[in-house]
Amino acid sequence: MKPLEIYLHIPFCAKKCRYCDFLSAPADRETQKAYIDAMKNEILRFPEAGKYRVDTVFFGGGTPTLLPEKDIETLLEALRKRFVFSADPEITIECNPGTADPDQLLAYRGMGINRLSLGLQSTDGRQLALLGRIHTWEDFLFTYRQARKAGFRNINVDLMSALPGQSVSSWEETLRKTADLEPEHISAYSLILEPETPLYEQYREETEKRERGEDTELLPTEEEEREMYWRTQEILEERGMERYEISNYARPGFACRHNIGYWTGAEYAGFGLGAASLLNHVRYENPRKLSTYIIGDFTERQRTVLRQKDEMEEFMFLGLRLKRGVSEDEFFKRFGRNMEAVYGETLIKLRREGMLKQEGEYTALTRRGTDLANYVMAQFLLEDPL
């Protein structure tokens, strides 16, 4: 049986954050119930489920923990009815602080959910308000402690740097206060101001200045952003966490199996509004209109057959996100060609520029390459034909 990752998109939230451009919004209970029914039906109709063994499940959103725990249980029961699970699957649920009470957390553990991902973003109340988050640092601490009491031994905390008005020292304080709690995993991302979000509109002029290379007063400079990035690694490594991907840190044995699957090209099935799947060299994307999804109309589902060229490109720029880099042996195993034969000139150029290094069979980003990762990734786009 082929290994499979499963993602379930819960698009409901209590309030839209000011930076968020995800497919999510508040909804009434009737809409939520109709949506769960539609997801259950989608799961039970999944074709050729017998070919796969489920290794990871990820409830993302939105805020999955806004739903009654019975809804989450309904979806897990449908998955177990349709699929065979591995002996020790990693099952994650995202949770915004303050949206899961102690009974809910205990119920999740009873269902077999063994990993919790908490969206903290910052320990500074002013920064949380700026982002439009509905919780406080105290709310986070309560949820975190209750999760430990409920038996969660694998907790991720999401943090966000490069916020308007944020200094390197205030970011370091967020890192230290979070790391002091000894979570198993921290995801530390830089804020991206997405067009058509309230936060982008508030800082539009500053964003445009930065894009032109001009000085800004309210947003961190590129130099400050890079300093925040490398201080993150230094501080978290001092606390026993290793960076295993560009923005992710874990204690030994706690790297996120689900996300590693994405970065290494594993097959995955996405259920829910706008969810994507990658199955047998074909990428699918579900309808993005809620009413269309709820009635089960998948005629608008996008279907893209990946060429070998597409898969080689993705292998390189997803795999290079990992600290260990990409494997020459795995490249040959997947594509029947040596990496040097396909990307020889590009690899030589990037090594000469100090962007890439060779460590055994792995090609990985250097520190300079990490700083200029977008530039490096763009070099692996291939001309047609191969």
Side-chain angles (χ1 to χ4, degrees):
M1 300 176 79
K2 295 194 291 183
L4 182 71
E5 304 196 324
I6 287 179
Y7 175 78
L8 300 106
H9 186 61
I10 309 298
F12 309 120
C13 52
K15 174 189 169 189
K16 193 84 168 172
C17 295
R18 300 184 69 240
Y19 60 89
C20 179
D21 71 337
F22 296 161
L23 197 56
S24 60
D28 59 43
R29 182 59 189 147
E30 288 305 308
T31 301
Q32 292 176 358
K33 288 194 290 188
Y35 183 81
I36 295 302
D37 287 342
M39 282 190 79
K40 178 182 174 181
N41 290 333
E42 186 189 3
I43 291 167
L44 295 176
R45 295 200 311 261
F46 183 87
E48 301 182 313
K51 290 183 177 180
Y52 295 99
R53 179 196 71 243
V54 175
D55 285 347
T56 70
V57 177
F58 197 104
F59 288 88
T63 306
T65 47
L66 274 182
L67 297 176
E69 54 265 38
K70 183 63 180 173
D71 287 351
I72 302 300
E73 187 174 28
T74 294
L75 297 176
L76 277 172
E77 287 175 349
L79 289 174
R80 291 190 169 108
K81 183 175 180 180
R82 187 67 182 134
F83 294 94
V84 172
F85 275 58
S86 64
D88 64 335
E90 175 191 87
I91 305 179
T92 304
I93 190 166
E94 288 186 337
C95 173
N96 280 348
T99 63
D101 61 34
D103 289 339
Q104 267 180 280
L105 294 166
L106 282 168
Y108 296 147
R109 288 296 295 121
M111 297 172 203
I113 296 174
N114 50 26
R115 186 173 183 272
L116 193 67
S117 183
L118 289 169
L120 171 58
Q121 314 312 344
S122 175
T123 62
D124 185 315
R126 291 168 300 178
Q127 292 172 0
L128 292 173
L130 175 71
L131 293 172
R133 304 294 287 179
I134 62 171
H135 67 269
T136 64
W137 167 240
E138 289 72 27
D139 292 331
F140 169 82
L141 286 176
F142 177 79
T143 302
Y144 183 88
R145 289 164 180 159
Q146 291 302 317
R148 288 301 196 200
K149 288 181 181 179
F152 280 96
R153 297 294 173 261
N154 189 355
I155 297 179
N156 168 64
V157 181
D158 285 340
L159 300 176
M160 192 173 285
S161 63
L163 306 180
Q166 187 181 52
S167 64
V168 174
S169 61
S170 67
W171 170 240
E172 290 177 347
E173 182 180 3
T174 282
L175 283 172
R176 290 196 174 96
K177 287 175 72 173
T178 305
D180 283 347
L181 297 171
E182 299 184 344
E184 285 70 32
H185 192 285
I186 289 178
S187 297
Y189 297 100
S190 294
L191 171 67
I192 298 175
L193 289 169
E194 300 287 0
E196 300 183 18
T197 61
L199 205 60
Y200 177 89
E201 294 303 324
Q202 182 176 348
Y203 294 97
R204 176 193 289 270
E205 186 176 337
E206 290 277 291
T207 303
E208 292 173 349
K209 276 186 181 179
R210 188 161 70 173
E211 289 171 351
R212 294 194 298 266
E214 300 174 11
D215 291 337
T216 60
E217 298 177 7
L218 303 173
L219 298 178
T221 65
E222 285 191 16
E223 291 74 19
E224 288 173 323
E225 193 169 337
R226 298 320 302 165
E227 186 177 355
M228 289 179 191
Y229 180 84
W230 291 110
R231 286 297 291 147
T232 301
Q233 179 169 313
E234 292 167 12
I235 289 170
L236 295 184
E237 284 187 350
E238 289 170 3
R239 308 301 180 93
M241 304 185 83
E242 182 182 3
R243 180 175 69 84
Y244 69 94
E245 189 269 347
I246 283 180
S247 302
N248 285 275
Y249 302 78
R251 300 192 183 282
F254 289 97
C256 178
R257 289 158 51 189
H258 187 83
N259 286 340
I260 287 176
Y262 287 140
W263 297 318
T264 55
E267 288 190 273
Y268 55 88
F271 298 102
L273 189 68
S277 302
L278 178 62
L279 302 163
N280 196 29
H281 310 289
V282 181
R283 179 170 288 115
Y284 304 89
E285 186 173 337
N286 280 355
R288 297 177 62 84
K289 187 176 179 182
L290 186 60
S291 59
T292 300
Y293 179 79
I294 285 176
I295 64 173
D297 181 0
F298 285 77
T299 55
E300 296 180 17
R301 190 182 201 191
Q302 295 182 15
R303 182 179 185 274
T304 305
V305 178
L306 299 182
R307 299 166 295 173
Q308 188 179 71
K309 166 189 177 296
D310 303 322
E311 293 184 330
M312 285 180 174
E313 291 171 347
E314 290 192 6
F315 180 91
M316 296 304 293
F317 41 69
L318 290 177
L320 282 171
R321 292 187 62 88
L322 294 167
K323 186 179 179 183
R324 73 186 184 204
V326 292
S327 162
E328 293 178 355
D329 292 348
E330 183 62 24
F331 189 95
F332 182 82
K333 179 180 173 183
R334 291 195 186 193
F335 305 117
R337 302 181 66 180
N338 290 321
M339 190 190 298
E340 293 282 347
V342 178
Y343 284 115
E345 291 183 11
T346 299
L347 293 170
I348 291 169
K349 172 178 178 286
L350 291 171
R351 288 172 189 145
R352 187 185 301 127
E353 292 175 350
M355 303 290 185
L356 295 179
K357 59 185 177 181
Q358 192 74 25
E359 295 181 343
E361 68 168 281
Y362 286 93
T363 296
L365 294 174
T366 61
R367 181 177 177 121
R368 173 173 163 77
T370 303
D371 282 339
L372 298 170
N374 289 340
Y375 163 77
V376 175
M377 307 309 185
Q379 307 307 302
F380 290 96
L381 294 172
L382 290 165
E383 297 288 334
D384 278 324
L386 275 176

